[in-house]
Amino acid sequence: MTEIPAIEARQLSVAYHRQPVLSDISLTLPAGQWTAIVGPNGAGKSSLLKVVTGGLKPLRGELRVLGGNARDQRRAGKVAYMPQQEQMEWDFPVSVQETVMTGRYGLMRHDAWWQRMLPERWANPLHRLAVDEALEAVDMQAHAASPIGELSGGQKKRVMLARALAQQADILLLDEPLAGVDPPSERLILDMLEGERRAGRTIVMVTHDLPSARRHADQVALINQTLVGMGSPTEMLSDAMLARLAVGGSTAGGLRVAA
Amino acid sequence: MSLLEGLGSGLIDALLALLMHGVGLLPASLAEPFEYRFMQRALLTSILVGGICGLLSSFVVLKRWSLLGDAISHAVLPGVAIAYLLGWPFFIGAFITGALTSLGIGAIERHTRIKSDAAMGLMFTAAFALGIVIISQIASSTHLMHILFGNVLGVQTSALLLTLLAGVIAVLVIWLAFRPLLLYTFDPQQAQALGFNITLIHYGLILLLTLTIVASLETVGIILVVAMLITPGATAHLLTDRFKPMLVIAVLVGIVSAVAGLLLSFHLDVASGGAIVLVATALFCLALIAAPKHGLLVRLWQRRAAE
């Protein structure tokens, strides 16, 4: 319905602890599409997501999110983020339901002041509804009260995904949503993301899983410190392009090429 | 100023009267020490300090800030000494150097290649050394001992009021900013992605920690306040998998340790700060052995059952 791209980077360079991780990236991710970001380990794929979430500051260049300033869009709750599993503190004393509820914390800024001072149970019922819906979408209602430390790997992934869903954001940034997931969970996650795309959301997925990228993504961005290529999955995931991606890095480190 | 002082001591008298109603319900052997006025004040201080430290300790433990708590508590010493020199209330100086040191740690961490543990060790030992040097020039060694190890039996009205104020501020801040604080402790990346100002939350939490340490100085002292900022939270972490219950349990552990330690120090005539911390440690050991899910006994039993 609009021409405004979800994410637009102009000559973006990013450093982490003074080490350059991304240099001179220019790309446009159209709204409502599913983009897979593919590249070898340490190529800066996660860093690209973290610039959008505010975890890394761009050294140079410009970043626009939904046509606006990234920070404003984050505050408006437009950006949902699912980090890699190892980056979460699974020992933390919270339940599945509470974890997913944290996806609503940004939106709670718009609640009345007295609602913000109450426990979620008595506050705005919209938040509980969104959380229940998200838990249902990833088939985790039965575990709502479980401590997150007791979950299996696939369940942890689904909880993190539910948290991103509960935010009902326009843009879903997913860092390796399929890594270490058993086949039934993988199917569930991909189906669910298909539904989100149909609902008009923008999906940006960092992945090592080329078959899934081929099957589901509208476009693929190849990244190795800089943008190697951007286009349709068939074009970008051809042997020739993947070989070009690996040049510069030593190997195509850890890419799952076959199904 | 005199009006404020009058208000303050009136408030404390009212709280003490309320507290003594509660003490009156206890068996005579427990209640007996509190016939002394200084023990009543010590009891009120202990409850407050145990409670606030317990509340903060959950955040300290979950955020892995134990060493930072240690650093700030030591960094408070030169502030106390300088305030003494200038004739200021000691907690103002303590607050300033405590906060400065935590800022310094952050700056070294961010702008040099020195890692955070070295930055903390470096800053807090330097601050502590400065404090010792100044104090050795200006005050008696008993004075120094009181600052280092606390003296809850001789608590001044001003210190009691400060502790009360710190408690009210801590409870208010944690209540009003509960979700940002929880999210920042749990998952700072998510907090950032949702547009929270995590620098503000970070330094807010550090200031709250500093305030708590300063408010606890006279009770358990600089050296042992760290224990009260870690042990209750660690104990509670063993006992529950939920955040709010963890806060409540940590507060209870803090209060029970402080009150039981106070009574022990009265009856056995030993240092109050040490007694308080030892009770807290005993509670931790108890939880470590007998906690329902994360205790050693249960784990042993589970391993047996699995074989």
Side-chain angles (χ1 to χ4, degrees):
Chain A
M1 72 192 165
T2 64
E3 301 296 319
I4 299 172
I7 294 171
E8 203 177 5
R10 290 269 160 272
Q11 275 133 30
L12 197 67
S13 294
V14 182
Y16 181 65
H17 284 306
R18 296 176 181 191
Q19 296 290 322
V21 285
L22 289 173
S23 60
D24 205 20
I25 295 232
S26 297
L27 52 73
T28 304
L29 307 185
Q33 295 206 355
W34 185 332
T35 305
I37 298 181
V38 172
N41 291 328
K45 308 180 297 285
S46 301
S47 302
L48 186 58
L49 297 191
K50 281 186 190 162
V51 184
V52 184
T53 63
L56 289 174
K57 303 257 170 298
L59 210 56
R60 274 184 303 279
E62 197 195 354
L63 178 76
R64 302 195 66 74
V65 177
L66 296 166
N69 169 303
R71 200 184 129 72
D72 294 342
Q73 301 295 5
R74 284 196 295 274
R75 278 192 73 84
K78 303 284 188 190
V79 181
Y81 173 53
M82 171 182 172
Q84 286 182 35
Q85 196 164 317
E86 305 79 56
Q87 298 197 7
M88 295 266 298
E89 195 84 46
W90 294 103
D91 258 350
F92 204 88
V94 282
S95 68
V96 165
Q97 203 266 353
E98 288 166 322
T99 305
V100 176
M101 186 63 88
T102 64
R104 304 289 300 179
Y105 278 14
L107 301 166
M108 286 180 189
R109 276 190 284 252
H110 306 301
D111 289 348
W113 64 270
W114 58 269
Q115 285 177 317
R116 276 180 277 153
M117 293 169 74
L118 294 174
E120 281 97 25
R121 206 173 327 151
W122 297 306
N124 191 340
L126 273 180
H127 303 306
R128 271 192 76 85
L129 268 173
V131 168
D132 289 346
E133 242 171 63
L135 282 174
E136 210 178 306
V138 300
D139 196 22
M140 285 294 288
Q141 320 90 304
H143 298 274
S146 309
I148 55 169
E150 290 176 3
L151 304 176
S152 72
Q155 289 174 330
K156 285 177 181 170
K157 275 262 146 61
R158 285 190 267 157
V159 169
M160 289 163 70
L161 207 52
R163 181 176 72 170
L165 286 183
Q167 196 181 328
Q168 297 169 339
D170 293 356
I171 301 177
L172 290 169
L173 303 175
L174 314 171
D175 201 344
E176 300 281 7
L178 303 171
V181 162
D182 53 285
S185 291
E186 178 173 320
R187 205 162 318 125
L188 184 140
I189 291 172
L190 288 169
D191 286 349
M192 205 213 67
L193 290 176
E194 283 288 356
E196 291 303 305
R197 175 174 50 184
R198 271 196 300 279
R201 302 195 203 287
T202 308
I203 298 170
V204 184
M205 168 176 95
V206 166
T207 189
H208 275 112
D209 189 339
L210 302 189
S212 302
R214 222 170 248 135
R215 206 165 313 133
H216 296 275
D218 298 307
Q219 65 210 330
V220 172
L222 299 180
I223 284 186
N224 195 358
Q225 318 292 325
T226 185
L227 187 69
V228 176
M230 169 114 185
S232 73
T234 21
E235 218 180 312
M236 287 299 122
L237 299 177
S238 65
D239 290 344
M241 281 310 282
L242 287 175
R244 250 178 77 186
L245 179 65
V247 174
S250 53
T251 60
L255 289 180
R256 189 177 117 191
V257 179
Chain B
M1 195 61 204
S2 65
L3 177 69
L4 266 180
E5 270 167 25
L7 265 179
S9 61
L11 181 64
I12 285 175
D13 285 343
L15 281 174
L16 284 177
L18 204 65
L19 194 60
M20 290 321 288
H21 268 288
V23 171
L25 302 175
L26 294 173
S29 60
L30 270 179
E32 178 214 16
F34 299 110
E35 282 164 17
Y36 300 101
R37 186 74 180 162
F38 73 90
M39 278 301 280
Q40 295 176 8
R41 299 166 69 96
L43 178 65
L44 181 58
T45 317
S46 301
I47 291 174
L48 287 171
V49 166
I52 321 170
C53 286
L55 189 61
L56 263 293
S57 72
S58 295
F59 291 94
V60 170
V61 166
L62 291 172
K63 196 82 203 130
R64 303 178 194 187
W65 272 6
S66 301
L67 190 59
L68 184 64
D70 199 14
I72 297 175
S73 65
H74 282 76
V76 149
L77 188 64
V80 174
I82 292 167
Y84 187 87
L85 268 180
L86 300 176
W88 292 355
F90 80 93
F91 51 83
I92 293 183
F95 196 75
I96 292 175
T97 52
L100 276 182
T101 306
S102 53
L103 290 175
I105 291 168
I108 290 184
E109 221 184 305
R110 219 160 291 166
H111 300 296
T112 74
R113 59 191 299 183
I114 309 293
K115 304 281 183 292
S116 68
D117 62 329
M120 285 182 210
L122 194 135
M123 288 296 289
F124 89 70
T125 46
F128 194 63
L130 177 66
I132 297 269
V133 165
I134 299 177
I135 287 182
S136 67
Q137 265 297 310
I138 58 171
S140 68
S141 57
T142 41
H143 205 111
L144 179 62
M145 285 293 281
H146 282 168
I147 297 170
L148 293 184
F149 299 108
N151 177 29
V152 69
L153 301 183
V155 161
Q156 308 282 314
T157 303
S158 62
L160 190 42
L161 272 176
L162 169 73
T163 311
L164 188 63
L165 183 69
V168 171
I169 292 177
V171 168
L172 269 182
V173 169
I174 289 176
W175 182 34
L176 293 178
F178 184 75
R179 290 187 188 106
L181 285 173
L182 167 63
L183 188 56
Y184 175 66
T185 311
F186 175 36
D187 190 350
Q189 289 191 58
Q190 166 82 352
Q192 209 159 26
L194 297 183
F196 288 99
N197 183 345
I198 66 168
T199 314
L200 183 73
I201 303 175
H202 178 89
Y203 284 111
L205 199 52
I206 283 184
L207 281 185
L208 211 53
L209 193 59
T210 310
L211 184 67
T212 306
I213 288 168
V214 171
S216 317
L217 269 191
E218 296 217 8
T219 319
V220 284
I222 285 177
I223 311 275
L224 294 176
V225 66
V226 191
M228 293 306 285
L229 283 172
I230 300 171
T231 315
T235 309
H237 199 21
L238 289 175
L239 291 173
T240 176
D241 283 324
R242 303 297 286 272
F243 189 67
K244 279 180 196 164
M246 181 170 167
L247 289 183
V248 174
I249 293 174
V251 167
L252 289 179
V253 170
I255 292 177
V256 168
S257 314
V259 173
L262 177 66
L263 281 170
L264 278 180
S265 95
F266 180 85
H267 287 298
L268 304 177
D269 193 21
V270 293
S272 52
I276 290 172
V277 172
L278 284 181
V279 173
T281 312
L283 290 175
F284 172 78
C285 291
L286 204 63
L288 186 65
I289 295 167
K293 212 151 121 192
H294 305 290
L296 293 177
L297 284 179
V298 174
R299 291 209 166 170
L300 202 69
W301 185 76
Q302 279 170 343
R303 204 177 301 164
R304 280 268 175 84
E307 273 166 14

PDB file of all heavy atoms in Angstrom, chain B residues 182-209:
ATOM      1  N   LEU B 182      13.384  -4.713  35.242  1.00  0.00           N
ATOM      2  CA  LEU B 182      13.343  -6.167  35.020  1.00  0.00           C
ATOM      3  C   LEU B 182      13.898  -6.503  33.638  1.00  0.00           C
ATOM      4  O   LEU B 182      14.761  -7.379  33.486  1.00  0.00           O
ATOM      5  CB  LEU B 182      11.896  -6.682  35.146  1.00  0.00           C
ATOM      6  CG  LEU B 182      11.640  -8.101  34.634  1.00  0.00           C
ATOM      7  CD1 LEU B 182      12.445  -9.120  35.435  1.00  0.00           C
ATOM      8  CD2 LEU B 182      10.154  -8.446  34.727  1.00  0.00           C
ATOM      9  N   LEU B 183      13.420  -5.768  32.628  1.00  0.00           N
ATOM     10  CA  LEU B 183      13.839  -6.082  31.260  1.00  0.00           C
ATOM     11  C   LEU B 183      15.326  -5.795  31.066  1.00  0.00           C
ATOM     12  O   LEU B 183      16.036  -6.579  30.430  1.00  0.00           O
ATOM     13  CB  LEU B 183      13.012  -5.267  30.263  1.00  0.00           C
ATOM     14  CG  LEU B 183      13.216  -5.649  28.799  1.00  0.00           C
ATOM     15  CD1 LEU B 183      12.938  -7.123  28.582  1.00  0.00           C
ATOM     16  CD2 LEU B 183      12.330  -4.815  27.897  1.00  0.00           C
ATOM     17  N   TYR B 184      15.801  -4.712  31.649  1.00  0.00           N
ATOM     18  CA  TYR B 184      17.227  -4.396  31.527  1.00  0.00           C
ATOM     19  C   TYR B 184      18.082  -5.477  32.187  1.00  0.00           C
ATOM     20  O   TYR B 184      19.131  -5.860  31.667  1.00  0.00           O
ATOM     21  CB  TYR B 184      17.539  -3.031  32.147  1.00  0.00           C
ATOM     22  CG  TYR B 184      19.015  -2.732  32.156  1.00  0.00           C
ATOM     23  CD1 TYR B 184      19.702  -2.552  30.960  1.00  0.00           C
ATOM     24  CD2 TYR B 184      19.732  -2.674  33.341  1.00  0.00           C
ATOM     25  CE1 TYR B 184      21.061  -2.311  30.947  1.00  0.00           C
ATOM     26  CE2 TYR B 184      21.092  -2.428  33.337  1.00  0.00           C
ATOM     27  CZ  TYR B 184      21.754  -2.250  32.134  1.00  0.00           C
ATOM     28  OH  TYR B 184      23.098  -2.016  32.125  1.00  0.00           O
ATOM     29  N   THR B 185      17.624  -5.976  33.329  1.00  0.00           N
ATOM     30  CA  THR B 185      18.375  -7.013  34.028  1.00  0.00           C
ATOM     31  C   THR B 185      18.332  -8.326  33.252  1.00  0.00           C
ATOM     32  O   THR B 185      19.327  -9.037  33.134  1.00  0.00           O
ATOM     33  CB  THR B 185      17.784  -7.225  35.439  1.00  0.00           C
ATOM     34  OG1 THR B 185      17.626  -5.965  36.067  1.00  0.00           O
ATOM     35  CG2 THR B 185      18.677  -8.097  36.285  1.00  0.00           C
ATOM     36  N   PHE B 186      17.177  -8.626  32.711  1.00  0.00           N
ATOM     37  CA  PHE B 186      16.946  -9.898  32.024  1.00  0.00           C
ATOM     38  C   PHE B 186      17.578  -9.902  30.639  1.00  0.00           C
ATOM     39  O   PHE B 186      18.302 -10.828  30.265  1.00  0.00           O
ATOM     40  CB  PHE B 186      15.437 -10.125  31.947  1.00  0.00           C
ATOM     41  CG  PHE B 186      15.000 -11.328  31.163  1.00  0.00           C
ATOM     42  CD1 PHE B 186      15.730 -12.507  31.166  1.00  0.00           C
ATOM     43  CD2 PHE B 186      13.816 -11.287  30.438  1.00  0.00           C
ATOM     44  CE1 PHE B 186      15.310 -13.615  30.454  1.00  0.00           C
ATOM     45  CE2 PHE B 186      13.381 -12.401  29.732  1.00  0.00           C
ATOM     46  CZ  PHE B 186      14.132 -13.555  29.735  1.00  0.00           C
ATOM     47  N   ASP B 187      17.311  -8.862  29.869  1.00  0.00           N
ATOM     48  CA  ASP B 187      17.681  -8.884  28.462  1.00  0.00           C
ATOM     49  C   ASP B 187      17.872  -7.453  27.939  1.00  0.00           C
ATOM     50  O   ASP B 187      16.974  -6.884  27.311  1.00  0.00           O
ATOM     51  CB  ASP B 187      16.563  -9.587  27.675  1.00  0.00           C
ATOM     52  CG  ASP B 187      16.957  -9.865  26.236  1.00  0.00           C
ATOM     53  OD1 ASP B 187      17.999  -9.364  25.792  1.00  0.00           O
ATOM     54  OD2 ASP B 187      16.202 -10.579  25.558  1.00  0.00           O
ATOM     55  N   PRO B 188      19.051  -6.867  28.188  1.00  0.00           N
ATOM     56  CA  PRO B 188      19.269  -5.470  27.800  1.00  0.00           C
ATOM     57  C   PRO B 188      19.097  -5.225  26.303  1.00  0.00           C
ATOM     58  O   PRO B 188      18.670  -4.155  25.896  1.00  0.00           O
ATOM     59  CB  PRO B 188      20.708  -5.189  28.246  1.00  0.00           C
ATOM     60  CG  PRO B 188      21.302  -6.483  28.649  1.00  0.00           C
ATOM     61  CD  PRO B 188      20.187  -7.437  28.914  1.00  0.00           C
ATOM     62  N   GLN B 189      19.410  -6.250  25.479  1.00  0.00           N
ATOM     63  CA  GLN B 189      19.245  -6.060  24.028  1.00  0.00           C
ATOM     64  C   GLN B 189      17.786  -5.823  23.664  1.00  0.00           C
ATOM     65  O   GLN B 189      17.464  -5.013  22.810  1.00  0.00           O
ATOM     66  CB  GLN B 189      19.693  -7.309  23.282  1.00  0.00           C
ATOM     67  CG  GLN B 189      21.167  -7.535  23.300  1.00  0.00           C
ATOM     68  CD  GLN B 189      21.520  -8.634  22.318  1.00  0.00           C
ATOM     69  OE1 GLN B 189      21.235  -8.547  21.139  1.00  0.00           O
ATOM     70  NE2 GLN B 189      22.130  -9.687  22.826  1.00  0.00           N
ATOM     71  N   GLN B 190      16.906  -6.594  24.328  1.00  0.00           N
ATOM     72  CA  GLN B 190      15.481  -6.441  24.075  1.00  0.00           C
ATOM     73  C   GLN B 190      15.024  -5.057  24.549  1.00  0.00           C
ATOM     74  O   GLN B 190      14.259  -4.387  23.864  1.00  0.00           O
ATOM     75  CB  GLN B 190      14.715  -7.555  24.807  1.00  0.00           C
ATOM     76  CG  GLN B 190      13.219  -7.353  24.915  1.00  0.00           C
ATOM     77  CD  GLN B 190      12.483  -7.775  23.662  1.00  0.00           C
ATOM     78  OE1 GLN B 190      13.083  -8.080  22.647  1.00  0.00           O
ATOM     79  NE2 GLN B 190      11.159  -7.792  23.733  1.00  0.00           N
ATOM     80  N   ALA B 191      15.533  -4.640  25.724  1.00  0.00           N
ATOM     81  CA  ALA B 191      15.170  -3.322  26.242  1.00  0.00           C
ATOM     82  C   ALA B 191      15.519  -2.247  25.222  1.00  0.00           C
ATOM     83  O   ALA B 191      14.740  -1.335  24.956  1.00  0.00           O
ATOM     84  CB  ALA B 191      15.893  -3.070  27.561  1.00  0.00           C
ATOM     85  N   GLN B 192      16.705  -2.410  24.607  1.00  0.00           N
ATOM     86  CA  GLN B 192      17.141  -1.440  23.617  1.00  0.00           C
ATOM     87  C   GLN B 192      16.257  -1.478  22.368  1.00  0.00           C
ATOM     88  O   GLN B 192      15.857  -0.441  21.852  1.00  0.00           O
ATOM     89  CB  GLN B 192      18.574  -1.774  23.236  1.00  0.00           C
ATOM     90  CG  GLN B 192      19.372  -0.604  22.808  1.00  0.00           C
ATOM     91  CD  GLN B 192      20.851  -0.898  22.948  1.00  0.00           C
ATOM     92  OE1 GLN B 192      21.269  -2.058  22.905  1.00  0.00           O
ATOM     93  NE2 GLN B 192      21.635   0.123  23.111  1.00  0.00           N
ATOM     94  N   ALA B 193      15.935  -2.688  21.923  1.00  0.00           N
ATOM     95  CA  ALA B 193      15.120  -2.824  20.715  1.00  0.00           C
ATOM     96  C   ALA B 193      13.727  -2.230  20.927  1.00  0.00           C
ATOM     97  O   ALA B 193      13.072  -1.832  19.971  1.00  0.00           O
ATOM     98  CB  ALA B 193      15.018  -4.288  20.311  1.00  0.00           C
ATOM     99  N   LEU B 194      13.269  -2.187  22.178  1.00  0.00           N
ATOM    100  CA  LEU B 194      11.955  -1.614  22.453  1.00  0.00           C
ATOM    101  C   LEU B 194      12.053  -0.115  22.727  1.00  0.00           C
ATOM    102  O   LEU B 194      11.090   0.510  23.151  1.00  0.00           O
ATOM    103  CB  LEU B 194      11.303  -2.310  23.638  1.00  0.00           C
ATOM    104  CG  LEU B 194      11.002  -3.801  23.453  1.00  0.00           C
ATOM    105  CD1 LEU B 194      10.289  -4.360  24.669  1.00  0.00           C
ATOM    106  CD2 LEU B 194      10.159  -4.031  22.207  1.00  0.00           C
ATOM    107  N   GLY B 195      13.255   0.444  22.529  1.00  0.00           N
ATOM    108  CA  GLY B 195      13.397   1.890  22.631  1.00  0.00           C
ATOM    109  C   GLY B 195      13.607   2.407  24.044  1.00  0.00           C
ATOM    110  O   GLY B 195      13.483   3.604  24.278  1.00  0.00           O
ATOM    111  N   PHE B 196      13.912   1.516  24.994  1.00  0.00           N
ATOM    112  CA  PHE B 196      14.231   2.016  26.336  1.00  0.00           C
ATOM    113  C   PHE B 196      15.633   2.617  26.332  1.00  0.00           C
ATOM    114  O   PHE B 196      16.518   2.141  25.629  1.00  0.00           O
ATOM    115  CB  PHE B 196      14.159   0.880  27.365  1.00  0.00           C
ATOM    116  CG  PHE B 196      12.757   0.434  27.659  1.00  0.00           C
ATOM    117  CD1 PHE B 196      12.230  -0.694  27.051  1.00  0.00           C
ATOM    118  CD2 PHE B 196      11.968   1.148  28.542  1.00  0.00           C
ATOM    119  CE1 PHE B 196      10.934  -1.107  27.315  1.00  0.00           C
ATOM    120  CE2 PHE B 196      10.675   0.743  28.811  1.00  0.00           C
ATOM    121  CZ  PHE B 196      10.162  -0.378  28.202  1.00  0.00           C
ATOM    122  N   ASN B 197      15.815   3.642  27.134  1.00  0.00           N
ATOM    123  CA  ASN B 197      17.124   4.271  27.253  1.00  0.00           C
ATOM    124  C   ASN B 197      17.944   3.471  28.264  1.00  0.00           C
ATOM    125  O   ASN B 197      17.862   3.696  29.480  1.00  0.00           O
ATOM    126  CB  ASN B 197      16.942   5.714  27.714  1.00  0.00           C
ATOM    127  CG  ASN B 197      18.261   6.451  27.779  1.00  0.00           C
ATOM    128  OD1 ASN B 197      19.329   5.838  27.745  1.00  0.00           O
ATOM    129  ND2 ASN B 197      18.194   7.759  27.864  1.00  0.00           N
ATOM    130  N   ILE B 198      18.748   2.520  27.760  1.00  0.00           N
ATOM    131  CA  ILE B 198      19.387   1.620  28.716  1.00  0.00           C
ATOM    132  C   ILE B 198      20.567   2.274  29.439  1.00  0.00           C
ATOM    133  O   ILE B 198      20.922   1.834  30.525  1.00  0.00           O
ATOM    134  CB  ILE B 198      19.810   0.273  28.083  1.00  0.00           C
ATOM    135  CG1 ILE B 198      20.895   0.435  27.044  1.00  0.00           C
ATOM    136  CG2 ILE B 198      18.631  -0.453  27.502  1.00  0.00           C
ATOM    137  CD1 ILE B 198      21.466  -0.920  26.672  1.00  0.00           C
ATOM    138  N   THR B 199      21.121   3.335  28.876  1.00  0.00           N
ATOM    139  CA  THR B 199      22.167   4.048  29.618  1.00  0.00           C
ATOM    140  C   THR B 199      21.559   4.655  30.887  1.00  0.00           C
ATOM    141  O   THR B 199      22.124   4.574  31.976  1.00  0.00           O
ATOM    142  CB  THR B 199      22.756   5.179  28.750  1.00  0.00           C
ATOM    143  OG1 THR B 199      23.011   4.658  27.454  1.00  0.00           O
ATOM    144  CG2 THR B 199      24.039   5.691  29.337  1.00  0.00           C
ATOM    145  N   LEU B 200      20.383   5.233  30.718  1.00  0.00           N
ATOM    146  CA  LEU B 200      19.686   5.830  31.859  1.00  0.00           C
ATOM    147  C   LEU B 200      19.357   4.767  32.908  1.00  0.00           C
ATOM    148  O   LEU B 200      19.585   4.956  34.109  1.00  0.00           O
ATOM    149  CB  LEU B 200      18.403   6.504  31.363  1.00  0.00           C
ATOM    150  CG  LEU B 200      17.577   7.235  32.405  1.00  0.00           C
ATOM    151  CD1 LEU B 200      18.276   8.523  32.798  1.00  0.00           C
ATOM    152  CD2 LEU B 200      16.179   7.533  31.873  1.00  0.00           C
ATOM    153  N   ILE B 201      18.845   3.626  32.449  1.00  0.00           N
ATOM    154  CA  ILE B 201      18.487   2.559  33.385  1.00  0.00           C
ATOM    155  C   ILE B 201      19.738   2.049  34.094  1.00  0.00           C
ATOM    156  O   ILE B 201      19.741   1.848  35.311  1.00  0.00           O
ATOM    157  CB  ILE B 201      17.785   1.400  32.656  1.00  0.00           C
ATOM    158  CG1 ILE B 201      16.550   1.908  31.906  1.00  0.00           C
ATOM    159  CG2 ILE B 201      17.375   0.308  33.631  1.00  0.00           C
ATOM    160  CD1 ILE B 201      15.874   0.854  31.057  1.00  0.00           C
ATOM    161  N   HIS B 202      20.822   1.879  33.316  1.00  0.00           N
ATOM    162  CA  HIS B 202      22.075   1.383  33.864  1.00  0.00           C
ATOM    163  C   HIS B 202      22.575   2.275  35.000  1.00  0.00           C
ATOM    164  O   HIS B 202      22.808   1.814  36.120  1.00  0.00           O
ATOM    165  CB  HIS B 202      23.116   1.314  32.737  1.00  0.00           C
ATOM    166  CG  HIS B 202      24.467   0.857  33.155  1.00  0.00           C
ATOM    167  ND1 HIS B 202      24.814  -0.466  33.155  1.00  0.00           N
ATOM    168  CD2 HIS B 202      25.547   1.537  33.600  1.00  0.00           C
ATOM    169  CE1 HIS B 202      26.069  -0.578  33.579  1.00  0.00           C
ATOM    170  NE2 HIS B 202      26.531   0.619  33.854  1.00  0.00           N
ATOM    171  N   TYR B 203      22.691   3.569  34.724  1.00  0.00           N
ATOM    172  CA  TYR B 203      23.219   4.457  35.757  1.00  0.00           C
ATOM    173  C   TYR B 203      22.207   4.684  36.873  1.00  0.00           C
ATOM    174  O   TYR B 203      22.586   4.909  38.025  1.00  0.00           O
ATOM    175  CB  TYR B 203      23.723   5.766  35.132  1.00  0.00           C
ATOM    176  CG  TYR B 203      25.045   5.534  34.440  1.00  0.00           C
ATOM    177  CD1 TYR B 203      25.157   5.581  33.063  1.00  0.00           C
ATOM    178  CD2 TYR B 203      26.179   5.194  35.177  1.00  0.00           C
ATOM    179  CE1 TYR B 203      26.354   5.314  32.424  1.00  0.00           C
ATOM    180  CE2 TYR B 203      27.385   4.924  34.553  1.00  0.00           C
ATOM    181  CZ  TYR B 203      27.469   4.992  33.189  1.00  0.00           C
ATOM    182  OH  TYR B 203      28.661   4.710  32.570  1.00  0.00           O
ATOM    183  N   GLY B 204      20.923   4.609  36.545  1.00  0.00           N
ATOM    184  CA  GLY B 204      19.912   4.699  37.597  1.00  0.00           C
ATOM    185  C   GLY B 204      20.069   3.573  38.608  1.00  0.00           C
ATOM    186  O   GLY B 204      20.039   3.786  39.824  1.00  0.00           O
ATOM    187  N   LEU B 205      20.279   2.374  38.084  1.00  0.00           N
ATOM    188  CA  LEU B 205      20.436   1.209  38.957  1.00  0.00           C
ATOM    189  C   LEU B 205      21.726   1.332  39.773  1.00  0.00           C
ATOM    190  O   LEU B 205      21.763   0.992  40.959  1.00  0.00           O
ATOM    191  CB  LEU B 205      20.443  -0.064  38.101  1.00  0.00           C
ATOM    192  CG  LEU B 205      20.155  -1.388  38.801  1.00  0.00           C
ATOM    193  CD1 LEU B 205      18.876  -1.334  39.613  1.00  0.00           C
ATOM    194  CD2 LEU B 205      20.054  -2.516  37.776  1.00  0.00           C
ATOM    195  N   ILE B 206      22.786   1.857  39.143  1.00  0.00           N
ATOM    196  CA  ILE B 206      24.045   2.035  39.873  1.00  0.00           C
ATOM    197  C   ILE B 206      23.882   3.078  40.985  1.00  0.00           C
ATOM    198  O   ILE B 206      24.354   2.888  42.102  1.00  0.00           O
ATOM    199  CB  ILE B 206      25.173   2.445  38.903  1.00  0.00           C
ATOM    200  CG1 ILE B 206      25.627   1.208  38.130  1.00  0.00           C
ATOM    201  CG2 ILE B 206      26.349   3.055  39.657  1.00  0.00           C
ATOM    202  CD1 ILE B 206      26.778   1.436  37.210  1.00  0.00           C
ATOM    203  N   LEU B 207      23.153   4.147  40.686  1.00  0.00           N
ATOM    204  CA  LEU B 207      22.925   5.163  41.718  1.00  0.00           C
ATOM    205  C   LEU B 207      22.122   4.582  42.874  1.00  0.00           C
ATOM    206  O   LEU B 207      22.391   4.859  44.046  1.00  0.00           O
ATOM    207  CB  LEU B 207      22.200   6.375  41.130  1.00  0.00           C
ATOM    208  CG  LEU B 207      23.068   7.338  40.342  1.00  0.00           C
ATOM    209  CD1 LEU B 207      22.272   8.553  39.914  1.00  0.00           C
ATOM    210  CD2 LEU B 207      24.275   7.781  41.167  1.00  0.00           C
ATOM    211  N   LEU B 208      21.146   3.755  42.542  1.00  0.00           N
ATOM    212  CA  LEU B 208      20.332   3.115  43.571  1.00  0.00           C
ATOM    213  C   LEU B 208      21.201   2.215  44.443  1.00  0.00           C
ATOM    214  O   LEU B 208      21.059   2.170  45.667  1.00  0.00           O
ATOM    215  CB  LEU B 208      19.236   2.292  42.890  1.00  0.00           C
ATOM    216  CG  LEU B 208      17.912   2.125  43.608  1.00  0.00           C
ATOM    217  CD1 LEU B 208      17.343   3.463  44.010  1.00  0.00           C
ATOM    218  CD2 LEU B 208      16.938   1.377  42.723  1.00  0.00           C
ATOM    219  N   LEU B 209      22.115   1.518  43.800  1.00  0.00           N
ATOM    220  CA  LEU B 209      23.045   0.639  44.510  1.00  0.00           C
ATOM    221  C   LEU B 209      23.936   1.469  45.440  1.00  0.00           C
ATOM    222  O   LEU B 209      24.147   1.112  46.611  1.00  0.00           O
ATOM    223  CB  LEU B 209      23.888  -0.101  43.474  1.00  0.00           C
ATOM    224  CG  LEU B 209      24.718  -1.292  43.906  1.00  0.00           C
ATOM    225  CD1 LEU B 209      23.825  -2.347  44.514  1.00  0.00           C
ATOM    226  CD2 LEU B 209      25.466  -1.864  42.697  1.00  0.00           C
TER     227      LEU B 209
END
